[in-house]
Amino acid sequence: MENIILQQLLNRYSRINFLKEPIKDAVEMIVDSFRTGGKFLACGNGGSSADADHIVGELMKGFEMKRSLEPSFQKTLDDISPERGKLLANNLQQGLPAISLSAHTALTSAVSNDIGGDYIFAQQVIGYGNPGDVLLGLSTSGNSRNVLDALIVAKAKGLKTIGMTGETGGKMKEFCDVLINVPEKRTAFVQELHLPVYHAMCLMIENEMFGMQ
């Protein structure tokens, strides 16, 4: 999947040229999942938790494209509600099914209290995950226990797995079908490189899914 968006990313951040193929592979994996009815799950801790939320926000609504609803669905909305249907049809956008496992405070606190903090993401993969879905785990060290456990459960359930980490990949690399290990070790610097990478990935996914509109 050669893509001008990816080349622009690599032009701006030449240090990550070696990640060209993993980024392409990750995007293809996510697009293939969406096209076959799958969904995208993401998890991380601290700043990486915010990154998981951020990625989901770019996928669930228009990022740089206007994702108009399908005309047939617009008509269905109008038929169901002459009062509100047209307004909904004109304002809502097509979304890609994506869930941040960091976002559910009541659920994560319940799992942490009743089972254990290491399992807050793995328990959600048990509930949400199906073969053909994709899990993205973000960890600057690559060693976050709760992200590792989520990846292990995802592999067991037949999900595809992607890791975004720092330079070494940590323990996560063993459980990732695709590893995007940016060339930094310090947490802040790893996260600074994660952001442009996942922005480019979201743009590439959007272009693949909605580029013909």
Side-chain angles (χ1 to χ4, degrees), residues 30-55:
I30 296 166
V31 168
D32 286 346
S33 177
F34 285 144
R35 285 178 172 162
T36 55
K39 60 186 172 294
F40 172 86
L41 310 176
C43 62
N45 297 288
S48 296
S49 171
D51 287 331
D53 288 353
H54 189 160
I55 293 165

Side-chain angles (χ1 to χ4, degrees), residues 6 13 23 36 48 63 72 75 94 106 113-115 135 138 159 177 190 207-208 210:
L6 178 55
Y13 299 92
I23 293 169
T36 55
S48 296
F63 186 10
S72 60
K75 183 178 184 306
Q94 293 191 61
N113 184 66
D114 299 344
I115 305 175
L135 172 67
L138 299 109
L159 282 72
D177 296 308
V190 173
N207 187 64
E208 285 294 314
F210 304 105

